[in-house]
Each structure stands twice: as structure tokens, then as C-alpha cells.
Amino acid sequence: DVKVTQSSRYLVKRTGEKVFLECVQDMDHENMFWYRQDPGLGLRLIYFSYDVKMKEKGDIPEGYSVSREKKERFSLILESASTNQTSMYLCASSLRSFDRRTPNTEAFFGQGTRLTVV
Amino acid sequence: AQRVTQPEKLLSVFKGAPVELKCNYSYSGSPELFWYVQYSRQRLQLLLRHISRESIKGFTADLNKGETSFHLKKPFAQEEDSAMYYCALRAAGNKLTFGGGTRVLVKP
């Protein structure tokens, strides 16, 4: 059974704190993603990593950074948490492929971390 | 840049009625398209992938490159289809972009 595991299900942090969200996958996937999920806005990509130490900004990277020191682990960092970062955060992983015929290229998701910044 | 648009935030249908969820995309290359579903209290999961051309749980989706659409259809909705549905586009570099989502409510 494939697994993407996020370290926390719920987090409450104070404004200005540095926050770490951790994600681990056991499928040996090259690609890993961080999204935030907000009602009416769907899933918005924060950062994408396609290899260890490699990253690419998504659509809403401001106020966030990421770390990928090992293939299986992808961390999202809120440098100084603000109330507008209260959200559900989803981590995902997928196989890296440049051939559309490659099977099983779908993303697998973690259970989500609901972060509240007060 | 890639973009996915789902124009309906909510679709409410009666059991046994057809349901169609719209998805439009913009992308300069050749896209790979997916539909994902999130049932209540469950994690997001793949429903179907355009290149597989298969029917999953009675749902089908056809990629129309001329209209840049990938609408999801089911001829007879069931109560267990009530969920949040997301259309997604995977670009050549493997970046995965989602639409805003459509909540489907199937009434008995």
C-alpha cells in the first residue's frame, strides 16, 4: 500500500512563529509537491521538487520555503507564520516521467495538515 | 503557464440523473489530464487519467484538444458520488496544476 505521510494532522501556531510541515513518501518518487487547499480556491501549488535539493516555485510561494535533503522527505517551512496562512496543507508525490504513456504517473496525497495561525 | 478552470463550484443533482463536471485548461504543450476525487474525511485520490481512456465508477472523460476541455460525465449519478472533484493538468516538466474544484451533491 503506497503511503504519503504528513507529520501532523492538526497544528495551531502563533503569528510570527517559524513552522515546519513534514512529508514522507515510501514510493521512491522523484516528484514531491506542497499545496494549500482553501474553499472556493481549490488546490494551489506552493512548491514543487523534482529531485533532491531541486525545487521550483509554484503559484503562491510567497511566505514559504521548502527543503528536500532526502528523496523521501519534503518539508514546507513558513518563515514567519501569519493568519492568512491558516489553511489545509496537502503534500503529494509522483513518479517522474517525460513519456505520457508511462503508467502510474498520478499523484498520491497525504492526509493533510490543518494549520491554524492565531 | 498552465491553468485549469472548473466553472462550477457546486453541482446538485438527483439520484439517477446525469451529471457533467466541466474542466477547461490552457497549456501550450501537450497536456496530461486527470480527475481526482475527495470523499468526506478521505484523502484526495485519482479517479481517472485521460490517457487510460477507461471508465471508473461509471465516470468517463474525453479530452477535447480543440475546445481545450476535459469534462467528466456520469449518466446516472449515485448518492455515493457526492464528493469534491478536481481536474488537474500535468505539464511536460511534471508540474501538476489543479482547478478550483466542484462539489457534487447527489440528492436521494
Side-chain angles (χ1 to χ4, degrees):
Chain A
D1 191 23
V2 295
K3 280 282 178 61
V4 179
T5 304
Q6 295 181 228
S7 54
S8 304
R9 190 77 178 90
Y10 299 95
L11 273 180
V12 180
K13 296 292 181 181
R14 294 194 180 279
T15 302
E17 276 193 79
K18 190 168 186 176
V19 181
F20 293 85
L21 302 183
E22 307 286 345
C23 176
V24 177
Q25 51 96 2
D26 64 0
M27 293 165 284
D28 202 35
H29 283 165
E30 295 84 2
N31 297 326
M32 294 190 77
F33 308 83
W34 274 107
Y35 296 90
R36 61 178 284 177
Q37 184 181 32
D38 300 288
L41 297 176
L43 273 73
R44 291 180 293 167
L45 181 64
I46 304 171
Y47 268 98
F48 162 47
S49 171
Y50 51 89
D51 202 348
V52 174
K53 297 190 187 296
M54 305 305 288
K55 62 185 179 185
E56 189 176 310
K57 289 181 180 178
D59 300 315
I60 51 163
E62 296 78 19
Y64 303 94
S65 62
V66 289
S67 172
R68 184 118 181 250
E69 296 297 319
K70 293 185 177 180
K71 189 176 185 180
E72 67 270 19
R73 186 178 297 270
F74 192 35
S75 304
L76 180 69
I77 304 152
L78 285 66
E79 298 292 343
S80 176
S82 64
T83 54
N84 62 13
Q85 292 178 309
T86 291
S87 186
M88 173 67 86
Y89 289 86
L90 298 181
C91 174
S93 73
S94 72
L95 196 64
R96 186 155 181 80
S97 167
F98 297 99
D99 183 346
R100 293 193 308 152
R101 295 165 297 180
T102 303
N104 306 319
T105 57
E106 70 269 27
F108 294 86
F109 281 83
Q111 77 279 25
T113 297
R114 184 165 292 284
L115 172 67
T116 302
V117 183
V118 298
Chain B
Q2 60 205 80
R3 187 177 178 88
V4 178
T5 303
Q6 293 178 248
E8 304 122 338
K9 288 193 173 2
L10 173 66
L11 275 181
S12 183
V13 300
F14 285 102
K15 179 181 171 181
V19 62
E20 181 179 23
L21 289 73
K22 291 186 168 47
C23 172
N24 291 92
Y25 67 90
S26 63
Y27 179 57
S28 56
S30 192
E32 193 177 351
L33 286 150
F34 303 83
W35 277 99
Y36 285 81
V37 61
Q38 190 170 29
Y39 301 104
S40 180
R41 297 187 189 85
Q42 293 187 27
R43 64 182 68 192
L44 200 60
Q45 59 187 285
L46 177 71
L47 180 62
L48 55 79
R49 182 180 174 211
H50 94 267
I51 205 148
S52 302
R53 302 183 68 82
E54 55 190 351
S55 173
I56 305 291
K57 299 185 179 183
F59 285 98
T60 59
D62 290 316
L63 176 60
N64 185 324
K65 290 187 178 180
E67 295 182 359
T68 59
S69 68
F70 187 56
H71 303 328
L72 183 69
K73 301 175 186 178
K74 184 168 182 176
F76 307 103
Q78 303 300 313
E79 288 182 70
E80 55 265 30
D81 296 327
S82 294
M84 196 75 185
Y85 291 80
Y86 293 96
C87 183
L89 183 154
R90 178 176 149 117
N94 288 214
K95 185 176 176 181
L96 186 63
T97 299
F98 285 81
T102 299
R103 181 167 296 283
V104 172
L105 177 62
V106 182
K107 297 177 287 189

